[in-house]
Amino acid sequence: MNRTLVDSTAQTFLVVDDHEAILEGTVPALKRVYSGAQIFTAQDVQTAQTQIRCYHPTLVVLDLSVPQNPCTPASAEVGIQFLKALIESKLAPNIVVLSTNIKPLVQLKPMINAYEGGFAAMDKSLPIREMVRLVDFALRGSIYLPPELRSRSEFDRRWLEVLALKFQEALTDKAIAERMQVSDRTVRNYWVRLQDALGVYDEPDKDLRIQIAIAARKLGLLN
């Protein structure tokens, strides 16, 4: 998988968090890496909804615990409902959830797994570089859930078909998409989900696809 950062030219980001200290750390970090992007902020859902209507962001970075409006307390339920609305919206922005408690996301797992946009989630206590990595991941249209939100490793038949077409018929991702009659993005998501299910992670100086093939053969998923 290409590790080059996504071109941010003409992209619009919205960061939603009611903590000024977090905004003051997150926004400059995004500006350093995605210098061509316009970045807006909101500290409550009401303001965020206005920003979304005005700017149609390509990426929303969201804390799950947010207030509905400036006069109400923050709560995870408000954040979950806002996130659900984002996922169901026609805009379908790429989404990164940054929160001290990401476990409520389990309520939305079926929706997240079927989402057409990119999606990633992480604990906000992790380093900024991890946030940047997952932002780029989401901007590529891929889906990532941290280990605590993943279920037992199960291998969808479509993932196994991708493995066979790649490593037994040597097809490119584009050819795999054509054969399976799905989009290129869907094939990319299948690779990400295979990677997660196999417990394979990107390592310097190692080819990710070859690591996937080795892990799949150890489990008997490839001849």
Side-chain angles (χ1 to χ4, degrees), residues 163-179:
L163 281 174
L165 291 173
K166 177 65 177 179
F167 298 112
Q168 293 175 358
E169 296 191 34
L171 297 186
T172 63
D173 281 7
K174 183 175 180 59
I176 290 172
E178 291 173 354
R179 176 78 67 86

Side-chain angles (χ1 to χ4, degrees), residues 11-192:
Q11 297 211 57
T12 302
F13 298 171
L14 173 62
V15 182
V16 186
D17 197 303
D18 66 326
H19 295 88
E20 288 188 13
I22 298 298
L23 292 176
E24 289 172 2
T26 301
V27 173
L30 290 173
K31 284 182 176 178
R32 282 195 299 271
V33 180
Y34 304 97
S35 58
Q38 285 187 297
I39 303 177
F40 300 92
T41 63
Q43 292 183 271
D44 58 85
V45 168
Q46 183 176 294
T47 304
Q49 290 170 332
T50 299
Q51 300 278 47
I52 288 169
R53 286 193 295 270
C54 290
Y55 302 112
H56 302 105
T58 50
L59 172 76
V60 176
V61 179
L62 169 68
D63 184 356
L64 278 187
S65 183
V66 287
Q68 180 64 39
N69 57 61
C71 301
T72 57
S75 79
E77 183 57 32
V78 170
I80 284 290
Q81 291 305 315
F82 177 50
L83 177 58
K84 183 179 178 181
L86 277 178
I87 291 173
E88 293 176 332
S89 72
K90 292 181 179 179
L91 179 62
N94 301 301
I95 299 169
V96 173
V97 172
L98 290 179
S99 190
T100 54
N101 181 16
I102 57 175
K103 290 181 180 178
L105 287 175
V106 73
Q107 303 171 44
L108 302 182
K109 275 186 66 178
M111 294 179 68
I112 293 169
N113 287 331
Y115 190 44
E116 285 299 314
F119 188 98
M122 64 170 272
D123 190 303
K124 64 165 59 173
S125 66
L126 293 174
I128 287 289
R129 64 178 179 274
E130 179 68 4
M131 179 199 72
V132 171
R133 185 180 77 84
L134 291 180
V135 164
D136 197 62
F137 199 78
L139 286 172
R140 295 179 187 281
S142 296
I143 294 175
Y144 171 83
L145 288 175
E148 58 265 40
L149 292 176
R150 298 177 202 155
S151 59
R152 177 176 58 86
S153 293
E154 296 175 349
F155 297 89
D156 188 287
R157 63 174 181 79
R158 292 165 296 183
W159 308 353
L160 300 180
E161 187 176 357
V162 168
L163 281 174
L165 291 173
K166 177 65 177 179
F167 298 112
Q168 293 175 358
E169 296 191 34
L171 297 186
T172 63
D173 281 7
K174 183 175 180 59
I176 290 172
E178 291 173 354
R179 176 78 67 86
M180 296 178 69
Q181 297 184 327
V182 297
S183 68
D184 292 350
R185 173 180 285 182
T186 297
V187 171
R188 289 198 301 272
N189 283 339
Y190 288 164
W191 281 118
V192 172

Side-chain angles (χ1 to χ4, degrees), residues 191-210:
W191 281 118
V192 172
R193 293 173 194 182
L194 267 168
Q195 180 185 338
D196 287 344
L198 290 166
V200 173
Y201 301 99
D202 204 354
E203 297 180 40
D205 304 320
K206 288 189 178 182
D207 187 298
L208 186 58
R209 293 289 175 84
I210 292 176

